[in-house]
Amino acid sequence: MASHAKAAQKFARQLFAMSIVDGAVSADRVAGVLEYVEKHHPANPVMVLKAYRRLVAAEIAKSLAVVEHAGAINDAMLAAIAASMTKKYGRSVTATARPSPALLAGLRVQVGDDIYESSVAGQLAVLAASV
Amino acid sequence: MSTVLEQIEQQIAKLSSKAVKKNTGNIRTVADGVAKIDGLSDVMYNEMVQFPGGAIGIALNLEEDEVGCVILGDISQLKEGDEVTTTGRLLSVPVGKELLGRTVDALGNPVDGKGPLGAKEFYPVERIAPGIIVRKGVSQPLFTGIMALDSMIPIGRGQRELIIGDRGTGKTTITIDTIINQAKINKVGLASGDKNFRPVYSIYVAVGQKNSNIVRTLSALEAAGALEFTVVVAAPAADNPANQYIAPYSGAAMGEWFMENGMDALIVYDDLSKHAVAYRQISLILKRPSGREAYPGDVFYLHSRLLERAARLDGKGSLTALPIVETLAGDVSAYIPTNIISITDGQIFLETDLFNQGIRPAVSVGLSVSRVGSAAQIKATKQVGGKLKGELAQFRELAAFAQFGSDLDAKTKAQLERGNRIVELFKQPAFAPQPIELQVAVLFAMQKGLFENVEIQKVSAAAASLKNFFTTRKDALLAEIRTKAALDKDLEARLQAACEEWKSSYSA
């Protein structure tokens, strides 16, 4: 079982490497990969596609700044965040807004694994942990 | 009032403008105290990571697209998809004198119900062992209070002496005796007001032990008044393997505090076989390649980096380590025993046969050795017991041959008789360590042939009587041996006279 999972992971990585064009995930290549998997039925296709999906999702997340906000946010602010993140990570990052009243006030920006916490809820959580 | 509001608003503005960066991941799987995590791209090896619900983990496996973490604490609430964040810190435990008399878990949290520790300092659990330049040779004795050990296999401050043997041969008892003896010496030394006196503080690390055994050890230490000089780190068998894996390192960090601050400490790892088993379990779940006996490839480093932290530092203190290893059917050539034998500065081998014959402590003289040797002995012990190990080893050899023949010459018979008497003399009950001055007096009496006319079966009783005589009637003489630590002609004469006095009054 473990060896199947390893083989599927390895194959998924190879498919993922083929899906990258100029440092970003290419929609055409992804479509090609899916077509290939459907046609050729590799061993453990579900395992392969799940691992492939995880890798693609992680890569897409690196180019997307998800801006959670409690108050109002305008396009100019989103553009400023996207520009700032593009400069910081050295790759093209787009920003998308997601309302989140649970933050109480402020912003929470997620780019890949990194989270930039500037919300009241986040600060309260830090305070609660330190008490 | 408006100023107050302004102050609050300013504070809010100040807080709001601060964006805190966190690196996060999500639990992919969690089982048996080990979590596989997606993300955590910035995590460092051995870094502490924060799980939801207050549980913390240590990143042990950094792979291409996942991180393997051991979880310390309650894992029952964790589930797939939970967010995990890096902390940028190494795991640290509280250290200091506040821990003396307390029982803590592998993370340094008190588990004895005596309230918070109040420790002011924290040390990282994993530290690089002291290098060559800062170290000093081992030359100061650490008395175990066990006559067979102090006279034949002496231990010095800063030494690593392995205690090895099958289950139920008295390994833990030797270490508890040693801890109790340190407490006794500390009490005498501190009461004397001697400014040069250096107390030895003890740390007892229980790994994979039954809770009942830990309670028994605690009771023994408390009954002997040794708990006030001891820290107990408990990672019992019911604890998750991650806690059992980290406990010896936590104990070492606590011991290092004493060493770094110019004090002497003794640490007991009870036992490293179970520690290796806990690490093997973690490694197998992390899917690390397994080697001999299914242990991972770095099992040697697991123990070498731990035991190398015991040292005597130049201008500072020392940390003496007494690791315990359990063997199966006396097999010292198994993987973990040979590893630890090669790391330590000697071993005390306990034999089941000797234990069953009633020879306790069941020390096998032939297989036991202290590589520090007589450098860790006071002169008085060397004077009275310098040749004992050789004599006893010779006796064992002769005894083995004597089994096959009945006609023995007078010299051989005398050697056998003397050997049997020494064996009897070295028998010692559990939790009753003897002060070094008393050991010197008894060995002096033995060397002067005081027990030669006593029947072999009655030697133990005679020795007990002699000890009683010295402690009740020759206290001043014992105190002088203790302070001088060597026997000059005057002391020898007075010891001889005391022995004669006892002999005249003793009837077997």
Side-chain angles (χ1 to χ4, degrees):
Chain A
M1 186 64 193
S3 61
H4 288 171
K6 255 186 188 170
Q9 186 75 28
K10 196 177 169 188
F11 187 48
R13 262 190 227 124
Q14 286 171 347
L15 294 177
F16 171 71
M18 286 190 292
S19 311
I20 302 290
V21 176
D22 296 333
V25 176
S26 152
D28 293 343
R29 291 283 182 96
V30 171
V33 164
L34 293 177
E35 200 183 319
Y36 170 84
V37 171
E38 200 178 351
K39 229 185 239 178
H40 293 86
H41 290 289
N44 302 304
V46 176
M47 234 184 238
V48 171
L49 284 178
K50 275 188 176 173
Y52 177 66
R53 190 210 167 275
R54 207 168 43 235
L55 293 168
V56 171
E59 188 60 31
I60 291 171
K62 285 181 192 169
S63 304
L64 185 68
V66 179
V67 184
E68 291 180 60
H69 57 96
I73 188 165
N74 54 35
D75 288 347
M77 274 175 84
L78 277 180
I81 289 169
S84 158
M85 293 302 167
T86 300
K87 194 177 168 193
K88 188 171 177 65
Y89 288 97
R91 61 192 296 165
S92 171
V93 178
T94 55
T96 174
R98 186 185 291 167
S100 176
L103 295 181
L104 302 176
L107 296 173
R108 188 176 195 257
V109 182
Q110 178 158 13
V111 183
D113 298 340
D114 295 335
I115 291 178
Y116 298 89
E117 183 77 62
S118 182
S119 71
V120 172
Q123 283 162 18
L124 287 173
V126 172
L127 271 177
S130 64
V131 172
Chain B
M1 190 57 76
S2 62
T3 5
V4 177
L5 289 173
E6 268 170 29
Q7 275 178 344
I8 296 170
E9 275 164 10
Q10 273 171 8
Q11 185 72 14
I12 290 170
K14 212 164 82 184
L15 285 171
S16 314
S17 62
K18 272 185 192 167
V20 181
K21 187 190 171 192
K22 291 191 292 187
N23 190 250
T24 62
N26 296 93
I27 296 178
R28 189 191 290 178
T29 59
V30 57
D32 302 308
V34 171
K36 295 279 181 68
I37 299 159
D38 273 334
L40 293 184
S41 51
D42 286 353
V43 77
M44 291 175 286
Y45 182 67
N46 261 340
E47 184 180 341
M48 206 161 84
V49 294
Q50 184 71 55
F51 285 87
I56 55 166
I58 301 169
L60 284 187
N61 259 26
L62 308 185
E63 294 173 32
E64 207 171 340
D65 46 27
E66 71 175 16
V67 174
C69 285
V70 291
I71 307 164
L72 305 153
D74 185 20
I75 59 165
S76 59
Q77 303 301 314
L78 300 180
K79 57 184 187 304
E80 185 188 345
D82 278 350
E83 191 180 276
V84 186
T85 52
T86 56
T87 60
R89 286 182 287 132
L90 292 171
L91 182 67
S92 298
V93 287
V95 293
K97 280 192 172 178
E98 294 84 358
L99 273 82
L100 292 172
R102 304 299 304 267
T103 306
V104 296
D105 65 10
L107 300 176
N109 302 312
V111 289
D112 53 6
K114 293 180 185 171
L117 295 173
K120 292 169 196 79
E121 279 184 75
F122 287 79
Y123 266 26
V125 163
E126 290 273 6
R127 288 182 98 198
I128 302 290
I132 299 164
I133 293 169
V134 293
R135 286 182 190 244
K136 205 175 171 190
V138 175
S139 59
Q140 293 175 326
L142 183 129
F143 302 118
T144 61
I146 299 165
M147 201 151 65
L149 300 185
D150 288 338
S151 59
M152 294 188 293
I153 311 145
I155 299 171
R157 296 187 186 194
Q159 191 179 343
R160 292 89 41 92
E161 183 80 3
L162 170 65
I163 298 170
I164 186 167
D166 280 7
R167 59 182 291 276
T169 49
K171 302 183 294 295
T172 303
T173 308
I174 284 184
T175 58
I176 301 301
D177 276 354
T178 309
I179 292 174
I180 292 173
N181 199 42
Q182 303 320 307
K184 281 185 173 180
I185 295 170
N186 290 352
K187 282 177 186 169
V188 173
L190 294 171
S192 72
D194 179 4
K195 281 179 186 170
N196 295 322
F197 176 73
R198 294 169 68 89
V200 177
Y201 300 100
S202 306
I203 298 125
Y204 177 80
V205 185
V207 184
Q209 301 290 315
K210 284 177 270 186
N211 270 321
S212 57
N213 281 358
I214 299 174
V215 169
R216 201 182 307 151
T217 302
L218 280 169
S219 308
L221 292 175
E222 198 155 23
L227 201 58
E228 59 185 291
F229 296 102
T230 312
V231 184
V232 177
V233 182
D239 239 349
N240 71 43
N243 284 29
Q244 292 180 38
Y245 157 65
I246 216 78
Y249 300 100
S250 303
M254 291 165 194
E256 275 168 341
W257 181 85
F258 291 104
M259 178 171 72
E260 297 279 344
N261 288 285
M263 288 171 267
D264 293 324
L266 162 74
I267 187 161
V268 175
Y269 302 111
D270 192 2
D271 67 63
L272 290 188
S273 318
K274 292 189 181 76
H275 181 237
V277 167
Y279 186 59
R280 174 171 65 183
Q281 190 175 333
I282 291 168
S283 299
L284 290 174
I285 297 168
L286 282 169
K287 293 194 171 57
R288 286 182 175 181
S290 55
R292 185 176 158 188
E293 292 176 30
Y295 287 106
D298 63 343
V299 77
F300 185 89
Y301 180 56
L302 170 84
H303 290 140
S304 63
R305 72 174 193 265
L306 172 72
L307 293 168
E308 276 292 293
R309 287 163 72 173
R312 185 175 170 217
L313 298 184
D314 198 6
K316 290 183 180 174
S318 71
L319 180 63
T320 311
L322 294 182
I324 293 178
V325 163
E326 191 178 295
T327 52
L328 283 172
D331 182 15
V332 286
S333 63
Y335 192 22
I336 302 302
T338 46
N339 275 358
I340 302 177
I341 284 171
S342 70
I343 298 164
T344 48
D345 308 311
Q347 71 275 349
I348 295 162
F349 185 66
L350 304 176
E351 273 186 51
T352 311
D353 286 349
L354 293 177
F355 188 85
N356 292 338
Q357 284 167 27
I359 300 167
R360 296 170 197 179
V363 179
S364 164
V365 179
L367 289 175
S368 301
V369 67
S370 170
R371 286 175 204 156
V372 170
S374 58
Q377 265 180 331
I378 57 166
K379 199 181 170 192
T381 314
K382 279 188 235 177
Q383 284 172 300
V384 293
K387 291 172 186 164
L388 271 175
K389 196 167 188 276
E391 275 183 54
L392 212 53
Q394 216 171 13
F395 157 71
R396 293 256 185 251
E397 207 176 315
L398 275 177
F401 276 112
Q403 284 179 339
F404 303 109
S406 52
D407 287 340
L408 299 169
D409 60 278
K411 194 187 166 196
T412 311
K413 267 186 188 168
Q415 266 185 311
L416 284 172
E417 293 250 307
R418 183 173 161 79
N420 276 321
R421 285 192 169 81
I422 298 172
V423 169
E424 285 298 312
L425 206 64
F426 280 157
K427 284 184 183 173
Q428 206 172 317
F431 310 139
Q434 304 288 336
I436 194 69
E437 58 273 18
L438 198 58
Q439 291 181 28
V440 169
V442 173
L443 289 174
F444 178 85
M446 196 270 297
Q447 297 290 14
K448 295 293 170 190
L450 227 68
F451 300 109
E452 267 171 22
N453 297 324
V454 181
E455 279 179 57
I456 290 170
Q457 289 83 359
K458 291 178 180 170
V459 168
S460 290
S465 163
L466 181 69
K467 285 172 195 168
N468 191 35
F469 171 80
F470 269 104
T471 43
T472 52
R473 296 176 58 184
K474 300 290 171 191
D475 202 26
L477 187 56
L478 289 178
E480 207 172 326
I481 298 171
R482 186 169 62 233
T483 46
K484 281 188 176 172
L487 299 181
D488 53 24
K489 279 188 180 164
D490 171 50
L491 255 180
E492 275 190 28
R494 282 159 63 200
L495 260 175
Q496 181 74 42
C499 287
E500 294 299 334
E501 191 183 334
W502 168 78
K503 197 178 174 185
S504 61
S505 64
Y506 179 71
S507 57

